[in-house]
Amino acid sequence: MSTATLTAPEDRGQTPVTSPKRKKPGRVRTVAWHAVILAFIAVLLYPIAWLLGASFKPANEVITSLALLPESPTWQNFVDAVAGIGGTSFGTFLYNSLFIAGGSVIGNVVSCVLAAYAFARLRFKLSKLMFGFMLMTLMLPHHVVLIPQYIIFQNMGMVDTFWPLILPKFLATEAFFVFLMIQFMRGLPRELDEAATIDGCGPLRLFYYIILPLARPALITTAIFTFIWTWNDFFSQLIYLSSPSNYTLPLALRLFIDQTSVSAYGPMFAMSVLTLVPIALFFFAFQRYLVQGLATSGLKG
Amino acid sequence: MVAQQVNEVASPQPGRTGSGRARKGSKSKEQTGIAYLFLSPWIAGAVLLTIGPMVASLYLSFTDYNLFTAPEWVGLDNYIRLFTQDDRFMSSVGVTFQYVFLSAPLKLAAALGVALLLNRPRKGQGFYRSAFYAPSLLGASVGIALVWRSLFTDDGAVDSLLSSVGINTGGWINQPDYAMYVIVILAVWQFGAPMVIFLAGLKQIPQDLYDAAAVDGASTWKTFTSVTLPMLSPVIFFNLVMEIIQSFQSFTGAFVVSNGQGGPADSTLFYTLYLYQRGFQDFQMGYASAMAWLLLLTIALFTGLVFKTSGRWVFYAGEDK
Amino acid sequence: MGAQRRSPLQRGRSVLALAMVAGLVTACGGAGGGDADGQVELRFTWWGSDDRAEITEEAIALFEERNPNITVNTSYAAFSGYFERLATEVAGNNAPDVIQMDYAYLREYGDRGVLADLHEFDEDQLGTEGITPLLARSGEIDGRMYALPMAQNTHAWAYDEQAWTESGVPLPEAGWTWEDLLSSSQALTESTDGERYGTTDFGWSWETFQVWLRQQDKDLYTDAGEIDFDREDLTTYLELLEEFRTTEAATPANITSEIDGAVENSPLARGSAFADFTWDSTAVSFSSVLPDGVGLAPMPRIEGSDRVGQFAKPGMLISIAANSEHPEESAALVDFLLNDVDAGLILGTSRGMPVNNDVREAVGAELEGPDQLVYDYEEALADELEEPPSAPPPGNSALKREWQRLNSVIGFGQLSIDDAVDQFLERAEQEL
């Protein structure tokens, strides 16, 4: 690979120019670009539109009709969804989900970035072995470790609390994110370390002042994914939470559908839509931080 | 075994950075201490939550364990049964390989393509990014399972669309020849996660590299192959490895769409779905554990191959000189 | 009872690593328990949807009002997921005190010492005398009573009453035969020019096969847990199913495979078939989907056979954990849920027809609509219903899945009946 191109530039003072080669795309091209993308998005979002449509369909229509739009739209599904389940309110489910997802975000970002820094930038004994083990934890289907893990939490008296869902995140058990951050940190120029070392920076200050700010896209990515994946996680919440007052939105969602009783598809769709709102907002709020990459985030700061 | 294969990538290679070799000695000792400090949450997690259960599951794979009474040692019986007596195991292996080779490349291609498309600053970027990510917000929930059924069933939107151009399929989700594609489409549709990772990777490429390329008068294509691709390669590598691992373990898509059955006619009986049926529905957790460790070996083999080749195509600005 | 402090997995002597880890962090072992003032906490878990949760909570509030020293902590989940959680809790030695149980799993739990023998309770602690005699012993395995039925259920052929009537084909009636089912289904399909099929292909239904076997004095399983039918029975039945498909009396494979156990996905509910095999209690769900109402017909019979083959099936059962710390209070809760008329009136038919005769009468008097239909259906069959077979052996769930898979594969024309029979028998040998 042409590494020459990569290490060549030294003229950092130059103001960033956006893609100088393609100066200003013509107006026609821009319009065409937008049109193509919008068409693509329309297809992509059709299923979500369908979900939205279904949430306004009355009970008999929701099962038999395959149409996108409801024939006689109704708010009733949302009223039922917000009414809660078996005496537990929608607000409780929402609060529990927010609490677990929020706690997980903090835990994952903090613990994974620490582990990743060690793996990516420090030299230490057993690093290969540990890294290999970490990858192995990703490869074993979690269904077979579920019961032993349950027993551990049971022994710690943590079953039916939020701890089994949040504590692992603080202990960097999500190898996905550790690995993700390792890859990002390894991409950061080594010259930084050397410059910092010359300035008398130890590994601690190097981490805090150089790596941490530069790894921000990876941190944001981790935060976004952790929030959304925890929010949607069903199985571990099902296993560890048994009191209805601890239930989360995914658990509540499933309670609308039961093969052995009358299912309520309409409210289920409505709750699906409501459940989407917080994560959509979360994503929308955080995605813009992805824009700020290395170029703007103070290399020379 | 895995450790060996990941040698290359596991940690910065001593010796690659010229200065690193010279100052090894006491410096690396100091680093070991700090490294363990940084790793302490991870080590606590491994000791407390990960190692024990993994060892337990390995042990259980050599036992007959019905969840409720103490496991009984049966040696290699579970493994032998898997290979000699279990047709459904064999068919689930076939289904899973088919899925991995279809969904992983398609999903990565879609993610990379869209990420490149969205990388250049344009009006409405935030909106586009969110729109492309929107399908991934849904995960594999009950709601989306029902949407998928309604789209791909007999007379559903897809079937109707195809019928209108003269192709009569009679539904996808309900036929063994097509059902797999429905799950693949669901997976590819949710390409948001690798897309976001690609985007973050693209943002990390220093602008001055592009500036320099422009100064050199490099073409768009040349800039792409000599700047974007190599600089993005650690992230491509990550996405490739994770996509392999995750698609081998794919579970929820097939689970919700086929309601845990793996039908029709076992055409979506994914490996982990069968494992789950064995463990939790048939109370054969020993057997399920054996399946799990076989899967681990298989995945390790494939990711090991990717790691092996990575020296040739993954470029780390932090390490190569 | 006290001997079970540690979970089975921990007792497995070689799981040292795990035990060590768990031991290191063991802080407290005593979960739940009674306070000095005699206050007792029970855990009760069931499956079911929103509606069932609401009325069950209501009934429990009444129980707590009457037993101020008992607090009941409830837990519920949808059927899909419920047994995974229960299995994990039991494996982790954290079983709830009172457990809603399914017939298919009774033996798995009972045989392995998870469930208490309800015979140990006196009649005044846990009454069984009022329970329909047919069902009272359905939770008994090898002389131990692992569960009591919460509801009665039986097989039925559900059909779209109005559409069937309009087609001009004679309605099904008691005593009809498999031939009648075949010919009327053919006629129904013809009446719509193949738009809608006479009946749902019942090859997915393991239970229908059971009824058919019982009509010939056989069954799915012997008491020893072996299969109770032979190659010839299998072949004959699969050929019968094939005839339904080839004559278009039943739905083709691509429609049949939409079945996933939920009423809403039945071809009957989706309007692609006139009828479907079902449990009578689901008629309520069907009628919420079919605006014109659903009819229930008894199972078709074998020409000349004097057995209906149908039996009173415990819809859902209720058990007490063997290592519950409060067996007596648990028994009181079970007794209340099954035998108390007030509780019965709150619970209604959410779990099916009540099993206690007094409750059944009281509830029956207040029924209307589809609930009334089910009630009448069972009343009409009451004299003919047989006693349920003993709970299915371990391996049943795997075998049932194999049955459904083979029928689907045959339906798609990917396998001959002979090969399917071979595969099934081989599987049966392995699983049982």
Side-chain angles (χ1 to χ4, degrees):
Chain A
M1 306 248 146
S2 51
T3 47
T5 334
L6 288 161
T7 42
E10 289 299 326
D11 50 344
R12 287 214 174 110
Q14 195 182 312
T15 356
V17 189
T18 33
S19 313
K21 186 70 193 169
R22 3 178 162 93
K23 276 161 202 145
K24 271 210 166 175
R27 179 170 286 259
V28 180
R29 265 184 75 181
T30 312
V31 172
W33 187 87
H34 285 282
V36 169
I37 295 232
L38 282 174
F40 190 37
I41 284 177
V43 175
L44 219 54
L45 295 191
Y46 181 85
I48 298 178
W50 197 93
L51 181 77
L52 197 62
S55 67
F56 289 100
K57 288 179 186 170
N60 57 342
E61 213 182 307
V62 79
I63 295 145
T64 47
S65 153
L66 295 171
L68 177 65
L69 296 174
E71 268 170 49
S72 38
T74 164
W75 283 104
Q76 192 55 39
N77 295 329
F78 286 90
V79 175
D80 291 347
V82 174
I85 286 177
T88 312
S89 73
F90 181 79
T92 306
F93 301 135
L94 182 68
Y95 171 81
N96 294 342
S97 273
L98 280 173
F99 187 89
I100 292 170
S104 299
V105 167
I106 297 170
N108 251 353
V109 169
V110 171
S111 69
C112 292
V113 78
L114 292 178
Y117 178 62
F119 278 122
R121 305 298 267 205
L122 299 177
R123 225 166 278 121
F124 59 101
K125 277 181 209 151
L126 301 179
S127 69
K128 287 164 195 164
L129 191 78
M130 287 185 180
F131 183 80
F133 173 75
M134 190 184 70
L135 280 189
M136 249 176 81
T137 63
L138 281 171
M139 298 174 189
L140 193 68
H142 66 276
H143 297 122
V144 295
V145 292
L146 194 77
I147 287 176
Q149 266 169 0
Y150 183 90
I151 292 173
I152 291 172
F153 284 115
Q154 163 74 6
N155 277 315
M156 294 198 280
M158 289 179 176
V159 163
D160 202 22
T161 70
F162 297 151
W163 281 114
L165 302 167
I166 297 178
L167 181 68
K169 310 285 163 68
F170 275 90
L171 300 180
T173 52
E174 295 235 12
F176 179 95
F177 295 110
V178 181
F179 187 29
L180 173 72
M181 292 197 212
I182 290 176
Q183 288 307 97
F184 271 89
M185 289 183 190
R186 295 189 66 196
L188 297 175
R190 190 48 99 163
E191 293 92 332
L192 293 171
D193 298 30
E194 283 164 12
T197 317
I198 289 162
D199 289 351
C201 254
L204 286 174
R205 293 176 64 187
L206 175 73
F207 170 72
Y208 189 76
Y209 289 110
I210 311 277
I211 302 291
L212 207 52
L214 290 183
R216 194 154 75 171
L219 298 185
I220 298 288
T221 310
T222 301
I224 292 175
F225 289 178
T226 305
F227 191 88
I228 292 167
W229 293 351
T230 311
W231 188 267
N232 284 331
D233 177 30
F234 167 73
F235 203 63
S236 47
Q237 296 175 4
L238 170 79
I239 297 291
Y240 285 113
L241 305 176
S242 54
S243 301
S245 59
N246 284 336
Y247 281 5
T248 55
L249 287 170
L251 295 183
L253 207 51
R254 296 265 175 140
L255 283 169
F256 287 115
I257 308 287
D258 182 79
Q259 317 179 0
T260 64
S261 31
V262 183
S263 296
Y265 282 79
M268 187 278 295
F269 280 122
M271 201 188 247
S272 295
V273 171
L274 292 176
T275 304
L276 267 181
V277 174
I279 41 177
L281 290 177
F282 190 89
F283 182 82
F284 202 74
F286 277 83
Q287 58 83 24
R288 63 204 172 90
Y289 293 110
L290 290 173
V291 184
Q292 295 161 332
L294 202 77
T296 52
S297 61
L299 227 192
K300 291 158 288 171
Chain B
M1 182 180 155
V2 186
Q4 234 172 29
Q5 284 158 342
V6 300
N7 261 354
E8 299 279 308
V9 194
S11 71
Q13 290 291 297
R16 269 211 192 164
T17 11
S19 56
R21 187 192 286 162
R23 272 182 272 148
K24 227 180 151 185
S26 71
K27 185 166 178 274
S28 91
K29 207 169 255 170
E30 177 209 357
Q31 284 203 348
T32 298
I34 291 173
Y36 284 134
L37 185 70
F38 274 90
L39 277 174
S40 52
W42 182 82
I43 292 173
V47 170
L48 197 66
L49 300 174
T50 321
I51 297 176
M54 282 181 83
V55 172
S57 75
L58 182 61
Y59 162 73
L60 290 174
S61 76
F62 299 106
T63 68
D64 188 357
Y65 175 48
N66 64 25
L67 296 173
F68 304 150
T69 53
E72 275 171 56
W73 183 264
V74 294
L76 287 171
D77 270 16
N78 289 327
Y79 293 92
I80 294 168
R81 247 178 83 204
L82 277 170
F83 283 108
T84 56
Q85 296 187 349
D86 197 340
D87 299 339
R88 298 191 80 211
F89 166 74
M90 288 303 178
S91 81
S92 76
V93 169
V95 165
T96 305
F97 270 107
Q98 195 191 354
Y99 174 79
V100 170
F101 287 114
L102 273 175
S103 80
L106 284 175
K107 190 171 179 174
L108 286 179
L112 182 58
V114 174
L116 289 170
L117 210 61
L118 294 183
N119 187 37
R120 290 162 59 192
R122 295 235 193 211
K123 267 213 182 98
Q125 242 211 353
F127 165 77
Y128 287 132
R129 212 177 335 205
S130 303
F132 279 112
Y133 192 81
S136 310
L137 289 174
L138 287 147
S141 61
V142 211
I144 206 62
L146 289 168
V147 174
W148 233 240
R149 274 169 161 273
S150 71
L151 287 181
F152 290 97
T153 189
D154 198 14
D155 291 333
V158 173
D159 188 40
S160 314
L161 200 68
L162 289 175
S163 304
S164 68
V165 294
I167 308 169
N168 225 323
T169 57
W172 286 29
I173 207 158
N174 45 357
Q175 303 205 64
D177 294 344
Y178 301 105
M180 161 67 83
Y181 300 109
V182 176
I183 312 233
V184 171
I185 293 171
L186 176 60
V188 176
W189 183 59
Q190 299 186 327
F191 64 77
M195 177 194 79
V196 165
I197 295 171
F198 279 133
L199 272 172
L202 286 169
K203 294 300 173 200
Q204 223 193 10
I205 301 176
Q207 183 61 44
D208 38 17
L209 295 182
Y210 287 111
D211 302 345
V215 169
D216 291 351
S219 67
T220 309
W221 178 249
K222 176 82 179 144
T223 311
F224 176 68
T225 55
S226 62
V227 178
T228 310
L229 272 187
M231 288 306 282
L232 197 59
S233 64
V235 171
I236 297 177
F237 174 72
F238 171 83
N239 272 334
L240 180 62
V241 169
M242 287 317 305
E243 216 45 63
I244 289 174
I245 293 179
Q246 290 179 340
S247 53
F248 265 113
Q249 294 201 22
S250 171
F251 176 77
T252 35
F255 184 81
V256 297
V257 170
S258 75
N259 199 22
Q261 308 281 311
D266 274 2
S267 58
T268 61
L269 185 72
F270 284 47
Y271 193 94
T272 43
L273 185 54
Y274 185 47
L275 182 158
Y276 174 86
Q277 290 183 350
R278 278 301 186 183
F280 281 99
Q281 291 172 2
D282 301 347
F283 300 89
Q284 300 182 12
M285 199 46 98
Y287 197 74
S289 300
M291 287 186 70
W293 279 85
L294 281 179
L295 183 64
L296 182 141
L297 288 180
T298 312
I299 298 176
L301 189 76
F302 278 85
T303 46
L305 283 176
V306 177
F307 270 95
K308 264 251 147 60
T309 63
S310 68
R312 269 181 259 154
W313 62 274
V314 181
F315 171 80
Y316 293 102
E319 279 146 37
D320 225 350
K321 267 240 143 179
Chain C
M1 227 161 264
Q4 289 240 352
R5 292 303 305 155
R6 289 166 71 79
S7 77
L9 181 52
Q10 278 167 295
R11 279 186 277 120
R13 69 192 144 79
S14 308
V15 199
L16 265 179
L18 168 66
M20 265 166 54
V21 171
L24 277 175
V25 294
T26 297
C28 53
D35 295 346
D37 56 359
Q39 200 63 29
V40 164
E41 280 190 24
L42 290 182
R43 282 170 59 214
F44 170 35
T45 182
W46 71 87
W47 74 82
S49 65
D50 184 14
D51 300 343
R52 190 178 295 161
E54 216 145 287
I55 52 177
T56 309
E57 295 279 14
E58 199 181 318
I60 283 168
L62 179 62
F63 176 75
E64 288 176 328
E65 197 184 302
R66 289 197 195 160
N67 301 271
N69 65 322
I70 304 178
T71 309
V72 182
N73 296 323
T74 57
S75 176
Y76 44 86
F79 187 74
S80 122
Y82 175 84
F83 276 97
E84 286 80 350
R85 171 156 85 195
L86 183 62
T88 310
E89 287 176 335
V90 172
N93 195 29
N94 187 30
D97 300 277
V98 179
I99 303 166
Q100 184 173 315
M101 182 50 66
D102 189 55
Y103 206 47
Y105 289 118
L106 187 62
R107 206 181 271 269
E108 309 267 8
Y109 283 82
D111 278 359
R112 290 163 187 162
V114 177
L115 307 176
D117 180 1
L118 302 183
H119 281 319
E120 285 174 11
F121 299 102
D122 299 335
E123 181 65 25
D124 60 333
Q125 279 179 306
L126 176 47
T128 57
E129 274 168 10
I131 293 176
T132 322
L134 269 184
L135 275 179
R137 290 155 55 92
S138 58
E140 207 172 71
I141 297 173
D142 301 331
R144 288 163 204 257
M145 177 95 81
Y146 290 126
L148 279 167
M150 293 189 94
Q152 176 174 315
N153 228 337
T154 188
H155 318 67
W157 220 269
Y159 59 94
D160 185 334
E161 194 163 13
Q162 188 173 346
W164 193 317
T165 311
E166 281 168 4
S167 74
V169 179
L171 287 173
E173 51 189 41
W176 66 325
T177 63
W178 296 96
E179 283 73 28
D180 294 336
L181 174 64
L182 180 63
S183 58
S184 56
S185 298
Q186 287 167 348
L188 285 168
T189 310
E190 267 167 42
S191 75
T192 64
D193 286 328
E195 283 289 304
R196 194 174 183 185
Y197 295 88
T199 188
T200 305
D201 183 351
F202 46 97
W204 61 274
S205 163
W206 189 222
E207 292 77 12
T208 307
F209 182 45
Q210 182 174 30
V211 170
W212 183 84
L213 285 169
R214 287 170 62 97
Q215 289 172 348
Q216 305 165 72
D217 300 329
K218 299 178 183 181
D219 209 324
L220 290 178
Y221 304 105
T222 63
D223 286 338
E226 300 289 315
I227 54 168
D228 193 15
F229 51 91
D230 56 23
R231 175 176 291 272
E232 207 189 310
D233 299 322
L234 254 181
T235 314
T236 313
Y237 189 70
L238 289 176
E239 279 169 353
L240 174 70
L241 287 168
E242 187 66 10
E243 197 177 351
F244 270 86
R245 281 189 288 263
T246 49
T247 60
E248 293 195 334
T251 48
N254 68 329
I255 291 179
T256 313
S257 62
E258 282 169 6
I259 295 172
D260 66 354
V263 161
E264 290 79 0
N265 287 319
S266 152
L268 168 60
R270 298 173 63 98
S272 43
F274 282 87
D276 194 358
F277 161 77
T278 188
W279 298 106
D280 62 359
S281 56
T282 58
V284 184
S285 302
F286 270 119
S287 58
S288 74
V289 185
L290 295 171
D292 305 328
V294 65
L296 293 176
M299 298 296 278
R301 295 206 207 182
I302 285 179
E303 190 86 66
S305 162
D306 54 354
R307 281 187 67 174
V308 285
Q310 275 183 261
F311 50 87
K313 193 216 168 217
M316 291 158 202
L317 300 108
I318 191 160
S319 299
I320 296 175
N323 59 356
S324 164
E325 288 175 15
H326 308 291
E328 281 164 22
E329 288 82 359
S330 300
L333 175 60
V334 172
D335 183 60
F336 172 80
L337 291 170
L338 294 184
N339 297 322
D340 190 279
V341 174
D342 296 332
L345 285 173
I346 296 173
L347 293 169
T349 58
S350 161
R351 287 178 173 80
M353 286 299 147
V355 288
N356 178 296
N357 291 325
D358 298 337
V359 177
R360 197 179 168 84
E361 232 162 77
V363 170
E366 295 196 352
L367 291 178
E368 50 189 32
D371 286 316
Q372 179 70 42
L373 178 77
V374 178
Y375 187 81
D376 292 345
Y377 174 74
E378 287 194 11
E379 288 295 297
L381 272 170
D383 294 338
E384 284 186 294
L385 281 189
E386 302 173 1
E387 216 176 299
S390 55
N396 174 58
S397 66
L399 217 52
K400 180 175 170 180
R401 270 207 313 274
E402 179 73 353
W403 174 259
Q404 291 171 343
R405 178 183 80 93
L406 286 172
N407 270 292
S408 174
V409 178
I410 298 171
F412 281 109
Q414 297 173 341
L415 194 69
S416 75
I417 288 177
D418 281 350
D419 291 343
V421 169
D422 287 343
Q423 286 186 20
F424 183 86
L425 292 173
E426 197 184 323
R427 173 67 68 173
E429 197 145 305
Q430 287 164 17
E431 300 292 340
L432 293 174

